[in-house]
Amino acid sequence: MNFDINTLKHHQLVEDGQLEGCYIHQPAEGSQPDDKAVLAERQALEKMGYKVIQVQAKGRTTTFAEAMQKLAKKTGHQPK
């Protein structure tokens, strides 16, 4: 599988904070965690040694900031 990390469609790199360097699945409308494209992208990232984190969307959609707040609360990290 040819995989270009610069063309991710389903995951976003966390660039700072406690989760820096991890990739987060950014749920989009019509994008489910078990979709073949999402799984393929996740597996490719994990194969390259990256940590991939799954978050649930709030309602139908979520923003990256909302997802990070929920994840920080779940893992016990407090936002600055």
Side-chain angles (χ1 to χ4, degrees):
M1 172 184 182
N2 292 333
F3 182 74
D4 183 359
I5 199 163
N6 296 314
T7 61
L8 296 174
K9 294 181 180 177
H10 306 286
H11 295 83
Q12 182 174 356
L13 176 64
V14 178
E15 296 183 14
D16 60 4
Q18 296 288 339
L19 301 173
E20 183 177 355
C22 296
Y23 280 86
I24 188 169
H25 174 231
Q26 180 67 32
E29 192 170 333
S31 173
Q32 299 299 317
D34 57 350
D35 287 346
K36 288 182 182 182
V38 175
L39 288 173
E41 196 173 275
R42 179 185 185 119
Q43 290 170 346
L45 285 166
E46 288 174 340
K47 216 175 199 183
M48 294 171 67
Y50 292 102
K51 184 173 181 177
V52 181
I53 300 167
Q54 176 67 45
V55 295
Q56 293 290 3
K58 178 178 142 184
R60 290 181 165 232
T61 61
T62 187
T63 65
F64 183 71
E66 288 171 338
M68 292 305 296
Q69 287 174 349
K70 184 173 182 177
L71 185 61
K73 185 183 267 187
K74 184 177 180 181
T75 59
H77 292 96
Q78 296 299 318
K80 294 180 181 176

